Amino acid sequence: MTTTTPEEENGVKRRDFLYIAAGGLGAVGTAAAIWPFVSQMNPSADVLALSTTEADLGGIDVGSELTVVWQGKPIFVRHRTEEDIASAENVDLSTLPDPEADSARVIKPEWLVMIGICTHLGCVPLKGQGDYGGWFCPCHGSHYDTSGRIRKGPAPANLVIPPYEFLDDNRILIG
Amino acid sequence: MSFEPKNPALKWVEARLPLPGMIHHALYDYPTPRNLSYWWTFGSLAGFMLVVQIVSGIVLAMHYTPHVDLAFNSVEHIMRDVNYGWLIRYMHANGASMFFIVVYLHIFRGLYYGSYKAPRELLWWLGLVIFLLMMATAFMGYVLPWGQMSFWGATVITNLFSAIPVVGDSIVTWLWGGFAVDNPTLNRFFSLHYLLPFVIVGVVILHIWSLHTTGSNNPTGVEIKDKQDSIPFHPYYTVKDLFGLAVFLIFFSAFLFYAPNYLGHPDNYIPANPLVTPAHIVPEWYFLPFYAILRAVPDKLGGVLLMFGAILILFALPWLDKSRVRSARFRPIYKQLFWVFVADCILLTYVGGKPAEGAYLVWGRIATIYYFVHILILLPLVGLLEKPKPLPASISEDVLSKKKPAKEETVNA
Amino acid sequence: MRKFLISVGVAAIVSLAALGPAKAAGDAVELKSVAWEHEGLFGTYDRAAAQRGLQVYREVCAACHGLTLVSFRTLADLGFSEDEVKAIAAEYEFTDGPDDFGDMFDRPGKASDKFPSPFPNEQAARAGNGGAFPVDLSLVSKSRPNGDNYIYSLLTGYVDAPADVTLPAGMNYNLYFAGHQIAMPPPLMDDQIEYADGTPATVDQMAHDVAVFLSWAAEPKMEQRKEMGLKVILFLLILTVVFYAAKRKIWSDLH
């Protein structure tokens, strides 16, 4: 069988198409079958339903801070003083490791809402400490200012602002 | 038989671990009889189901909580909240039934064609060990949802061990980890249910290794004599097995998507209650024949011995069956007895699901007696006394003789 | 090939016949049979009936029966808006805490909560019901054979006890309950509630609607399951044909 006739060549092409079709369908089916097994590890419906937390601001005096839990993470809710706000706004942004204006980080200037997780390696910073009047992370020495921005130390970014909105003057909904 | 791969990566692996060679040998060098029928696809389907059960089971274990207070609700959490949880749970529950259907067909294929006979005795034994491990795994798995049947099935079956003289009660207490089926029992069943499937994988590897040592049986029962009798496994049987898989998946999907609770018992959707016994405690369908044998015997210990004996006796099959002919195709008497035996097993399954009283009990006893009569008396007698039909000289001759009317001109000596 | 298919068919029929009757025999009366919209290969839940059924559950059944596996947020499946779901949840009170002083406190329900049980535990439920336990209804439709017909039959199956049966105190005669004696008094009466959509609330209607609701409550993913089943089986049919053609092709040089 060293020479091939035109019919045989056609046969070869049709045969190859059949095998390609079979293999392709099999691959598609396998991929579709794998998807549920990947998806099941994503948050389940009950976990997603708990993805918002309400915080009551009424009890937080000026200059005090409350920590609430949202999605398992600590959230710092600080009722800022006039000095806090002033020192946060009067900063030359070009001197910041992660330049960001204070106005971009708050909805109402007297309320600062941040995820209290250091952007370096995840420790929870301590309030009222550090060289910039804000927070200090004891793990590796990152200093955050009164807007929660990184000023000194190994952390690469400012403390993250979670999505939140004011339900009224005394309540916010985080998430 | 050393394998010289062309691909440099494969060459590198082969020099360090002969796995590419083993796979190549299995696919291309393993001489497979050319006449295997579709009854030979159930082995690969069983392997497929083992993988399905392990993958779906591991995923379920990510969401299941093995504690008496939380187990039932964790399963409902899977059904309602976990993404595709309902699919994976139903896949695992119905998959267990599919696994047993496939394995029973695989076993009965072996019984019909004499696949247990020399030189495949060890292959047969390894298969029986897999079957026993499957039953243990399935039994413990059914307890995990902690429904009424989970609890009471566990109670009834573990109580059986008290029939053992002298040490029976201690053994039951040891199994339970307490004075009744309770949290310690559930926890250890979860641990062992996760473990045993991997033991099954090990035995399956031995089973396939043994198969590759002796070679496959075939519908004629006549061994491969020369090259024309065999074909490479790939591509012939890989594609045939894939086709068989596609058909089987339709069967599986029909249950999974349209009747996911048909093979189960509604009582298992009631949380376990140690103070309320269900009206009729029934195991899952694949245990019913053994349940029937257990209840056929009026004595507790006798029932236990006969139930386990029904499987253990199968280990002796290669020596009980005295026929020198393997395949029932050429054994006219045995062939009929085989189908009677199948009917007997179906009867045992039916009776196992009924209350053990009245006509059901009578038929259960008849069917149990016949089961043992078939294996212990009929098989040896028929093997010795039967006059088999003449065997074909070889597999090729058998294949070609079927083709004679259509292809006269291609028949060659 | 033909022989194979016949063998598989026989095996399937035989095995199915053997499986079905793993249920109790006994003096079970045949259940009434309703043509439910949710049965069959393409069945879906009748949303209007399910919403009415929810109303029946809340206004009649919830006095004694919990539904503790059903989250309020899943009611969105039945066509309720997010606000309607929140409103339904808020009608219930849940104990939460401890607060920063270590005390437990009550708060209104949220969408992420589940329907409560009217009793704190089984013992309290039995004590309040003459020793009988009003079962949680989350899975009742799946925990009885032919569950939806069973619920409908039971609720419409209360009759006077026949002359030769004396009922113990506190028991009621029901045609469809195993043993015919049930502790639950007939829970439904004509016009017991006023349906929000104006449908006349006859016993028959309420029994039908609550059966639909409870079927959904037990199996909220049924529609996704059937939908996926259709796609999977159609795909597999095509795959079977293609694989068979490939098999024949590969084997053609041997035949």
Side-chain angles (χ1 to χ4, degrees):
Chain A
M1 290 266 209
T2 46
T3 55
T4 53
T5 62
E7 291 85 11
E8 269 172 287
E9 273 182 5
N10 265 333
V12 168
K13 286 204 187 68
R14 251 186 283 128
R15 186 172 65 220
D16 282 344
F17 170 72
L18 182 56
Y19 300 155
I20 292 169
L25 275 179
V28 163
T30 306
I34 287 175
W35 171 244
F37 292 93
V38 172
S39 171
Q40 56 81 24
M41 280 174 68
N42 271 328
S44 54
D46 55 329
V47 168
L48 290 174
L50 292 177
S51 57
T52 62
T53 303
E54 238 180 69
D56 184 7
L57 307 176
I60 311 176
D61 296 328
V62 179
S64 315
E65 181 179 315
L66 175 71
T67 303
V68 296
V69 175
W70 172 69
Q71 291 192 352
K73 300 181 259 256
I75 305 293
F76 297 160
V77 182
R78 179 164 173 78
H79 195 166
R80 296 200 295 185
T81 62
E82 290 296 331
E83 297 92 48
D84 289 336
I85 300 172
S87 67
E89 288 171 348
N90 298 331
V91 172
D92 179 359
L93 297 184
S94 63
T95 65
L96 296 176
D98 182 11
E100 201 181 356
D102 182 66
S103 52
R105 294 174 58 77
V106 291
I107 296 175
K108 296 186 186 181
E110 67 270 27
W111 290 105
L112 180 63
V113 179
M114 312 184 290
I115 300 181
I117 296 179
C118 182
T119 57
H120 180 228
L121 291 174
C123 296
V124 180
L126 303 171
K127 65 175 186 257
Q129 293 181 39
D131 300 343
Y132 295 85
W135 289 263
F136 172 73
C137 185
C139 288
H140 308 98
S142 294
H143 297 254
Y144 296 89
D145 65 14
T146 54
S147 183
R149 294 173 298 206
I150 181 65
R151 295 298 208 107
K152 190 163 78 175
N158 303 330
L159 291 176
V160 177
I161 308 293
Y164 70 97
E165 58 178 3
F166 278 87
L167 298 174
D168 55 48
D169 282 343
N170 274 330
R171 288 182 312 148
I172 53 171
L173 182 71
I174 310 170
Chain B
M1 206 190 59
S2 72
F3 175 50
E4 292 292 335
K6 298 191 199 69
N7 181 308
L10 285 179
K11 222 176 177 149
W12 185 93
V13 176
E14 178 72 16
R16 291 156 176 75
L17 177 72
L19 205 52
M22 282 166 60
I23 296 174
H24 183 271
H25 168 78
L27 288 178
Y28 295 101
D29 302 331
Y30 175 63
T32 327
R34 61 189 298 167
N35 61 336
L36 297 185
S37 68
Y38 281 99
W39 291 104
W40 264 256
T41 53
F42 292 107
S44 67
L45 290 181
F48 175 79
M49 281 318 300
L50 180 60
V51 171
V52 166
Q53 289 303 94
I54 287 177
V55 171
S56 60
I58 289 174
V59 162
L60 287 174
M62 292 183 182
H63 304 276
Y64 169 77
T65 305
H67 187 281
V68 294
D69 296 333
L70 302 169
F72 187 88
N73 285 5
S74 74
V75 173
E76 281 301 307
H77 161 69
I78 290 169
M79 295 293 288
R80 292 163 190 268
D81 293 327
V82 173
N83 301 329
Y84 298 106
W86 56 270
L87 174 67
I88 300 171
R89 192 276 174 108
Y90 278 148
M91 188 185 294
H92 197 73
N94 285 279
S97 284
M98 294 298 128
F99 198 179
F100 276 98
I101 290 176
V102 158
V103 164
Y104 279 137
L105 290 169
H106 183 71
I107 292 175
F108 277 97
R109 181 280 313 263
L111 290 175
Y112 188 84
Y113 291 106
S115 307
Y116 49 84
K117 286 172 168 300
R120 297 182 181 87
E121 306 95 320
L122 192 53
L123 176 68
W124 173 251
W125 282 5
L126 290 167
L128 288 176
V129 169
I130 293 171
F131 180 53
L132 286 166
L133 287 171
M134 278 174 63
M135 296 206 293
T137 308
F139 166 69
M140 292 190 293
Y142 193 66
V143 177
L144 302 182
W146 210 242
Q148 275 287 66
M149 277 309 168
S150 304
F151 178 87
W152 289 98
T155 300
V156 165
I157 298 302
T158 47
N159 262 318
L160 289 179
F161 289 89
S162 65
I164 300 171
V166 182
V167 291
D169 285 329
S170 311
I171 290 182
V172 175
T173 307
W174 175 76
L175 283 174
W176 285 343
F179 305 107
V181 170
D182 203 343
N183 202 47
T185 325
L186 178 62
N187 269 206
R188 61 193 55 181
F189 278 9
F190 179 61
S191 170
L192 294 175
H193 181 74
Y194 205 129
L195 167 73
L196 284 187
F198 296 99
V199 176
I200 293 177
V201 169
V203 184
V204 165
I205 289 174
L206 294 177
H207 187 70
I208 298 177
W209 191 357
S210 176
L211 174 72
H212 280 222
T213 307
T214 61
S216 300
N217 192 12
N218 70 84
T220 64
V222 174
E223 298 293 311
I224 291 174
K225 293 201 166 86
D226 52 44
K227 283 219 83 176
Q228 314 153 258
D229 290 341
S230 71
I231 48 179
F233 189 85
H234 179 72
Y236 295 100
Y237 289 111
T238 39
V239 75
K240 191 168 181 178
D241 281 349
L242 279 174
F243 166 65
L245 177 63
V247 172
F248 167 73
L249 285 176
I250 295 177
F251 180 71
F252 188 3
S253 299
F255 281 98
L256 170 49
F257 292 102
Y258 293 104
N261 292 300
Y262 181 78
L263 296 169
H265 200 290
D267 273 0
N268 226 29
Y269 279 107
I270 301 172
N273 188 341
L275 302 178
V276 175
T277 310
H280 296 280
I281 300 173
V282 203
E284 288 288 89
W285 69 268
Y286 38 82
F287 288 136
L288 290 177
F290 305 102
Y291 201 51
I293 294 175
L294 173 75
R295 298 184 307 172
V297 185
D299 175 61
K300 189 172 171 183
L301 180 60
V304 173
L305 289 175
L306 222 58
M307 179 180 75
F308 284 117
I311 303 173
L312 294 177
I313 194 132
L314 295 173
F315 281 86
L317 203 55
W319 295 276
L320 286 170
D321 182 358
K322 305 262 180 237
S323 171
R324 273 175 292 131
V325 173
R326 276 199 192 90
S327 169
R329 226 189 240 186
F330 302 103
R331 302 180 57 189
I333 315 255
Y334 174 69
K335 184 193 270 198
Q336 294 173 65
L337 288 180
F338 171 83
W339 289 110
V340 176
F341 183 69
V342 169
D344 182 63
C345 291
I346 292 171
L347 178 59
L348 280 172
T349 307
Y350 177 77
V351 164
K354 294 291 179 203
E357 54 201 26
Y360 297 125
L361 189 57
V362 173
W363 278 107
R365 289 178 170 156
I366 294 172
T368 300
I369 293 171
Y370 184 79
Y371 180 95
F372 287 97
V373 161
H374 172 95
I375 295 177
L376 288 170
I377 300 174
L378 295 179
L379 276 190
L381 277 180
V382 169
L384 286 171
L385 301 176
E386 180 181 42
K387 186 171 179 300
K389 293 200 200 146
L391 296 174
S394 70
I395 295 174
S396 324
E397 187 200 280
D398 184 73
V399 170
L400 289 171
S401 71
K402 292 194 168 83
K403 307 257 185 299
K404 269 202 165 73
K407 279 189 167 188
E408 286 267 353
E409 63 276 18
T410 60
V411 169
N412 247 320
Chain C
M1 182 60 194
R2 218 178 115 254
K3 277 169 65 179
F4 167 66
L5 285 175
I6 292 174
S7 317
V8 165
V10 168
I13 291 168
V14 149
S15 54
L16 286 178
L19 305 168
K23 300 166 183 135
D27 61 338
V29 179
E30 212 177 289
L31 297 174
K32 297 182 189 176
S33 190
V34 175
W36 304 100
E37 227 177 87
H38 55 261
E39 66 188 9
L41 301 180
F42 305 100
T44 54
Y45 289 119
D46 177 348
R47 295 281 186 295
Q51 289 201 11
R52 291 195 297 269
L54 169 66
Q55 195 178 345
V56 174
Y57 166 73
R58 293 177 64 217
E59 296 186 30
V60 181
C61 322
C64 304
H65 290 276
L67 199 71
T68 57
L69 293 173
V70 179
S71 304
F72 294 112
R73 58 180 161 79
T74 57
L75 293 175
D77 272 359
L78 297 182
F80 292 103
S81 70
E82 200 182 315
D83 288 332
E84 284 171 322
V85 167
K86 281 191 187 166
I88 293 172
E91 290 182 32
Y92 298 85
E93 219 170 56
F94 290 86
T95 309
D96 206 347
D99 59 21
D100 287 337
F101 296 102
D103 301 318
M104 307 300 281
F105 57 90
D106 287 337
R107 59 155 178 81
K110 299 185 280 201
S112 56
D113 291 318
K114 298 186 188 183
F115 278 90
S117 169
F119 300 102
N121 49 59
E122 186 180 327
Q123 288 84 340
R126 286 190 184 272
N129 287 283
F133 179 54
V135 296
D136 187 287
L137 295 179
S138 313
L139 286 169
V140 70
S141 170
K142 284 208 284 194
S143 66
R144 307 284 186 275
N146 205 358
D148 39 21
N149 284 322
Y150 175 78
I151 295 168
Y152 173 76
S153 303
L154 188 83
L155 292 175
T156 56
Y158 283 92
V159 297
D160 290 327
D164 56 340
V165 172
T166 34
L167 285 175
M171 297 303 261
N172 307 275
Y173 194 85
N174 189 294
L175 285 171
Y176 303 98
F177 189 72
H180 296 303
Q181 298 187 13
I182 185 172
M184 174 169 78
L188 299 177
M189 278 179 333
D190 283 332
D191 294 320
Q192 191 172 10
I193 65 173
E194 217 177 278
Y195 272 136
D197 68 357
T199 311
T202 59
V203 169
D204 195 81
Q205 182 72 46
M206 288 189 285
H208 173 272
D209 293 339
V210 84
V212 172
F213 171 69
L214 291 176
S215 297
W216 169 83
E219 187 93 357
K221 300 291 183 184
M222 179 206 73
E223 289 171 351
Q224 292 94 313
R225 167 165 60 81
K226 290 182 181 176
E227 205 187 329
M228 191 186 284
L230 183 64
K231 290 189 234 171
V232 167
I233 291 182
L234 284 179
F235 172 80
L236 286 173
L237 283 169
I238 298 172
L239 196 74
T240 303
V241 168
V242 170
F243 275 179
Y244 185 62
K247 183 257 175 192
R248 290 288 301 226
K249 210 59 186 180
I250 287 180
W251 280 76
S252 60
D253 57 354
L254 285 186
H255 289 325

PDB file of all heavy atoms in Angstrom, chain C residues 237-255:
ATOM      1  N   LEU C 237     -25.635  12.167  23.972  1.00  0.00           N
ATOM      2  CA  LEU C 237     -26.181  11.452  22.819  1.00  0.00           C
ATOM      3  C   LEU C 237     -25.322  11.731  21.579  1.00  0.00           C
ATOM      4  O   LEU C 237     -24.984  10.815  20.825  1.00  0.00           O
ATOM      5  CB  LEU C 237     -27.633  11.865  22.568  1.00  0.00           C
ATOM      6  CG  LEU C 237     -28.652  11.232  23.523  1.00  0.00           C
ATOM      7  CD1 LEU C 237     -30.020  11.883  23.382  1.00  0.00           C
ATOM      8  CD2 LEU C 237     -28.767   9.735  23.280  1.00  0.00           C
ATOM      9  N   ILE C 238     -24.973  12.998  21.402  1.00  0.00           N
ATOM     10  CA  ILE C 238     -24.108  13.336  20.271  1.00  0.00           C
ATOM     11  C   ILE C 238     -22.753  12.651  20.428  1.00  0.00           C
ATOM     12  O   ILE C 238     -22.213  12.052  19.483  1.00  0.00           O
ATOM     13  CB  ILE C 238     -23.919  14.870  20.177  1.00  0.00           C
ATOM     14  CG1 ILE C 238     -25.265  15.536  19.935  1.00  0.00           C
ATOM     15  CG2 ILE C 238     -22.927  15.228  19.085  1.00  0.00           C
ATOM     16  CD1 ILE C 238     -25.220  17.040  20.025  1.00  0.00           C
ATOM     17  N   LEU C 239     -22.220  12.702  21.652  1.00  0.00           N
ATOM     18  CA  LEU C 239     -20.923  12.080  21.911  1.00  0.00           C
ATOM     19  C   LEU C 239     -20.974  10.588  21.603  1.00  0.00           C
ATOM     20  O   LEU C 239     -20.046  10.012  21.021  1.00  0.00           O
ATOM     21  CB  LEU C 239     -20.553  12.294  23.384  1.00  0.00           C
ATOM     22  CG  LEU C 239     -19.097  12.051  23.772  1.00  0.00           C
ATOM     23  CD1 LEU C 239     -18.225  13.179  23.274  1.00  0.00           C
ATOM     24  CD2 LEU C 239     -18.956  11.914  25.277  1.00  0.00           C
ATOM     25  N   THR C 240     -22.084   9.939  21.991  1.00  0.00           N
ATOM     26  CA  THR C 240     -22.233   8.508  21.743  1.00  0.00           C
ATOM     27  C   THR C 240     -22.193   8.209  20.255  1.00  0.00           C
ATOM     28  O   THR C 240     -21.506   7.286  19.807  1.00  0.00           O
ATOM     29  CB  THR C 240     -23.561   8.004  22.335  1.00  0.00           C
ATOM     30  OG1 THR C 240     -23.585   8.302  23.731  1.00  0.00           O
ATOM     31  CG2 THR C 240     -23.717   6.515  22.133  1.00  0.00           C
ATOM     32  N   VAL C 241     -22.925   8.986  19.479  1.00  0.00           N
ATOM     33  CA  VAL C 241     -22.955   8.771  18.028  1.00  0.00           C
ATOM     34  C   VAL C 241     -21.558   8.939  17.430  1.00  0.00           C
ATOM     35  O   VAL C 241     -21.086   8.106  16.649  1.00  0.00           O
ATOM     36  CB  VAL C 241     -23.960   9.738  17.364  1.00  0.00           C
ATOM     37  CG1 VAL C 241     -23.793   9.744  15.863  1.00  0.00           C
ATOM     38  CG2 VAL C 241     -25.386   9.345  17.738  1.00  0.00           C
ATOM     39  N   VAL C 242     -20.889  10.027  17.824  1.00  0.00           N
ATOM     40  CA  VAL C 242     -19.551  10.294  17.278  1.00  0.00           C
ATOM     41  C   VAL C 242     -18.569   9.197  17.693  1.00  0.00           C
ATOM     42  O   VAL C 242     -17.796   8.683  16.876  1.00  0.00           O
ATOM     43  CB  VAL C 242     -19.058  11.678  17.740  1.00  0.00           C
ATOM     44  CG1 VAL C 242     -17.597  11.882  17.396  1.00  0.00           C
ATOM     45  CG2 VAL C 242     -19.897  12.769  17.109  1.00  0.00           C
ATOM     46  N   PHE C 243     -18.610   8.794  18.967  1.00  0.00           N
ATOM     47  CA  PHE C 243     -17.693   7.754  19.428  1.00  0.00           C
ATOM     48  C   PHE C 243     -17.995   6.436  18.736  1.00  0.00           C
ATOM     49  O   PHE C 243     -17.098   5.656  18.425  1.00  0.00           O
ATOM     50  CB  PHE C 243     -17.793   7.580  20.952  1.00  0.00           C
ATOM     51  CG  PHE C 243     -16.935   8.554  21.727  1.00  0.00           C
ATOM     52  CD1 PHE C 243     -16.943   8.538  23.111  1.00  0.00           C
ATOM     53  CD2 PHE C 243     -16.129   9.478  21.091  1.00  0.00           C
ATOM     54  CE1 PHE C 243     -16.166   9.429  23.839  1.00  0.00           C
ATOM     55  CE2 PHE C 243     -15.348  10.367  21.800  1.00  0.00           C
ATOM     56  CZ  PHE C 243     -15.370  10.346  23.178  1.00  0.00           C
ATOM     57  N   TYR C 244     -19.283   6.158  18.471  1.00  0.00           N
ATOM     58  CA  TYR C 244     -19.615   4.914  17.804  1.00  0.00           C
ATOM     59  C   TYR C 244     -19.065   4.913  16.382  1.00  0.00           C
ATOM     60  O   TYR C 244     -18.507   3.918  15.914  1.00  0.00           O
ATOM     61  CB  TYR C 244     -21.128   4.677  17.804  1.00  0.00           C
ATOM     62  CG  TYR C 244     -21.501   3.342  17.226  1.00  0.00           C
ATOM     63  CD1 TYR C 244     -21.064   2.167  17.834  1.00  0.00           C
ATOM     64  CD2 TYR C 244     -22.258   3.232  16.062  1.00  0.00           C
ATOM     65  CE1 TYR C 244     -21.376   0.927  17.306  1.00  0.00           C
ATOM     66  CE2 TYR C 244     -22.579   1.993  15.532  1.00  0.00           C
ATOM     67  CZ  TYR C 244     -22.143   0.845  16.150  1.00  0.00           C
ATOM     68  OH  TYR C 244     -22.448  -0.373  15.632  1.00  0.00           O
ATOM     69  N   ALA C 245     -19.224   6.045  15.717  1.00  0.00           N
ATOM     70  CA  ALA C 245     -18.691   6.158  14.359  1.00  0.00           C
ATOM     71  C   ALA C 245     -17.172   5.964  14.368  1.00  0.00           C
ATOM     72  O   ALA C 245     -16.616   5.251  13.527  1.00  0.00           O
ATOM     73  CB  ALA C 245     -19.059   7.514  13.764  1.00  0.00           C
ATOM     74  N   ALA C 246     -16.503   6.550  15.337  1.00  0.00           N
ATOM     75  CA  ALA C 246     -15.047   6.405  15.428  1.00  0.00           C
ATOM     76  C   ALA C 246     -14.674   4.951  15.701  1.00  0.00           C
ATOM     77  O   ALA C 246     -13.725   4.408  15.129  1.00  0.00           O
ATOM     78  CB  ALA C 246     -14.504   7.305  16.536  1.00  0.00           C
ATOM     79  N   LYS C 247     -15.447   4.310  16.552  1.00  0.00           N
ATOM     80  CA  LYS C 247     -15.183   2.902  16.881  1.00  0.00           C
ATOM     81  C   LYS C 247     -15.322   2.043  15.628  1.00  0.00           C
ATOM     82  O   LYS C 247     -14.451   1.221  15.316  1.00  0.00           O
ATOM     83  CB  LYS C 247     -16.153   2.445  17.982  1.00  0.00           C
ATOM     84  CG  LYS C 247     -15.923   1.007  18.447  1.00  0.00           C
ATOM     85  CD  LYS C 247     -16.939   0.060  17.863  1.00  0.00           C
ATOM     86  CE  LYS C 247     -16.579  -1.389  18.255  1.00  0.00           C
ATOM     87  NZ  LYS C 247     -17.364  -2.368  17.489  1.00  0.00           N
ATOM     88  N   ARG C 248     -16.409   2.251  14.887  1.00  0.00           N
ATOM     89  CA  ARG C 248     -16.620   1.457  13.670  1.00  0.00           C
ATOM     90  C   ARG C 248     -15.487   1.683  12.679  1.00  0.00           C
ATOM     91  O   ARG C 248     -15.022   0.753  12.023  1.00  0.00           O
ATOM     92  CB  ARG C 248     -17.963   1.835  13.019  1.00  0.00           C
ATOM     93  CG  ARG C 248     -19.176   1.388  13.815  1.00  0.00           C
ATOM     94  CD  ARG C 248     -19.390  -0.089  13.766  1.00  0.00           C
ATOM     95  NE  ARG C 248     -19.577  -0.540  12.390  1.00  0.00           N
ATOM     96  CZ  ARG C 248     -20.519  -1.378  11.997  1.00  0.00           C
ATOM     97  NH1 ARG C 248     -21.376  -1.842  12.864  1.00  0.00           N
ATOM     98  NH2 ARG C 248     -20.606  -1.744  10.746  1.00  0.00           N
ATOM     99  N   LYS C 249     -15.066   2.948  12.582  1.00  0.00           N
ATOM    100  CA  LYS C 249     -14.013   3.281  11.635  1.00  0.00           C
ATOM    101  C   LYS C 249     -12.710   2.564  11.995  1.00  0.00           C
ATOM    102  O   LYS C 249     -12.052   1.954  11.170  1.00  0.00           O
ATOM    103  CB  LYS C 249     -13.802   4.800  11.668  1.00  0.00           C
ATOM    104  CG  LYS C 249     -13.342   5.432  10.386  1.00  0.00           C
ATOM    105  CD  LYS C 249     -14.286   5.196   9.270  1.00  0.00           C
ATOM    106  CE  LYS C 249     -13.768   5.690   7.942  1.00  0.00           C
ATOM    107  NZ  LYS C 249     -14.739   5.419   6.876  1.00  0.00           N
ATOM    108  N   ILE C 250     -12.355   2.650  13.288  1.00  0.00           N
ATOM    109  CA  ILE C 250     -11.095   2.045  13.719  1.00  0.00           C
ATOM    110  C   ILE C 250     -11.157   0.535  13.564  1.00  0.00           C
ATOM    111  O   ILE C 250     -10.166  -0.098  13.211  1.00  0.00           O
ATOM    112  CB  ILE C 250     -10.793   2.458  15.184  1.00  0.00           C
ATOM    113  CG1 ILE C 250     -10.375   3.924  15.201  1.00  0.00           C
ATOM    114  CG2 ILE C 250      -9.739   1.569  15.798  1.00  0.00           C
ATOM    115  CD1 ILE C 250     -10.054   4.458  16.567  1.00  0.00           C
ATOM    116  N   TRP C 251     -12.318  -0.054  13.812  1.00  0.00           N
ATOM    117  CA  TRP C 251     -12.440  -1.501  13.737  1.00  0.00           C
ATOM    118  C   TRP C 251     -12.663  -2.004  12.316  1.00  0.00           C
ATOM    119  O   TRP C 251     -12.669  -3.210  12.081  1.00  0.00           O
ATOM    120  CB  TRP C 251     -13.595  -1.980  14.630  1.00  0.00           C
ATOM    121  CG  TRP C 251     -13.214  -2.053  16.081  1.00  0.00           C
ATOM    122  CD1 TRP C 251     -13.069  -1.008  16.945  1.00  0.00           C
ATOM    123  CD2 TRP C 251     -12.920  -3.233  16.829  1.00  0.00           C
ATOM    124  NE1 TRP C 251     -12.707  -1.450  18.181  1.00  0.00           N
ATOM    125  CE2 TRP C 251     -12.616  -2.822  18.147  1.00  0.00           C
ATOM    126  CE3 TRP C 251     -12.883  -4.593  16.517  1.00  0.00           C
ATOM    127  CZ2 TRP C 251     -12.286  -3.724  19.155  1.00  0.00           C
ATOM    128  CZ3 TRP C 251     -12.564  -5.497  17.525  1.00  0.00           C
ATOM    129  CH2 TRP C 251     -12.271  -5.061  18.824  1.00  0.00           C
ATOM    130  N   SER C 252     -12.832  -1.076  11.373  1.00  0.00           N
ATOM    131  CA  SER C 252     -13.225  -1.508  10.027  1.00  0.00           C
ATOM    132  C   SER C 252     -12.155  -2.346   9.349  1.00  0.00           C
ATOM    133  O   SER C 252     -12.465  -3.211   8.547  1.00  0.00           O
ATOM    134  CB  SER C 252     -13.564  -0.301   9.156  1.00  0.00           C
ATOM    135  OG  SER C 252     -12.426   0.542   9.065  1.00  0.00           O
ATOM    136  N   ASP C 253     -10.879  -2.140   9.674  1.00  0.00           N
ATOM    137  CA  ASP C 253      -9.857  -2.937   9.006  1.00  0.00           C
ATOM    138  C   ASP C 253      -9.778  -4.355   9.546  1.00  0.00           C
ATOM    139  O   ASP C 253      -9.041  -5.188   9.028  1.00  0.00           O
ATOM    140  CB  ASP C 253      -8.490  -2.250   9.067  1.00  0.00           C
ATOM    141  CG  ASP C 253      -8.063  -1.973  10.500  1.00  0.00           C
ATOM    142  OD1 ASP C 253      -8.883  -2.219  11.417  1.00  0.00           O
ATOM    143  OD2 ASP C 253      -6.930  -1.503  10.704  1.00  0.00           O
ATOM    144  N   LEU C 254     -10.535  -4.622  10.612  1.00  0.00           N
ATOM    145  CA  LEU C 254     -10.526  -5.981  11.143  1.00  0.00           C
ATOM    146  C   LEU C 254     -11.726  -6.782  10.663  1.00  0.00           C
ATOM    147  O   LEU C 254     -11.703  -7.995  10.618  1.00  0.00           O
ATOM    148  CB  LEU C 254     -10.571  -5.973  12.675  1.00  0.00           C
ATOM    149  CG  LEU C 254      -9.294  -5.587  13.400  1.00  0.00           C
ATOM    150  CD1 LEU C 254      -9.504  -5.773  14.891  1.00  0.00           C
ATOM    151  CD2 LEU C 254      -8.135  -6.435  12.919  1.00  0.00           C
ATOM    152  N   HIS C 255     -12.821  -6.061  10.359  1.00  0.00           N
ATOM    153  CA  HIS C 255     -14.051  -6.797  10.029  1.00  0.00           C
ATOM    154  C   HIS C 255     -13.987  -7.424   8.657  1.00  0.00           C
ATOM    155  O   HIS C 255     -13.484  -6.859   7.728  1.00  0.00           O
ATOM    156  CB  HIS C 255     -15.235  -5.820  10.119  1.00  0.00           C
ATOM    157  CG  HIS C 255     -15.544  -5.440  11.548  1.00  0.00           C
ATOM    158  ND1 HIS C 255     -15.407  -6.320  12.564  1.00  0.00           N
ATOM    159  CD2 HIS C 255     -15.971  -4.285  12.112  1.00  0.00           C
ATOM    160  CE1 HIS C 255     -15.745  -5.744  13.711  1.00  0.00           C
ATOM    161  NE2 HIS C 255     -16.098  -4.504  13.466  1.00  0.00           N
TER     162      HIS C 255
END
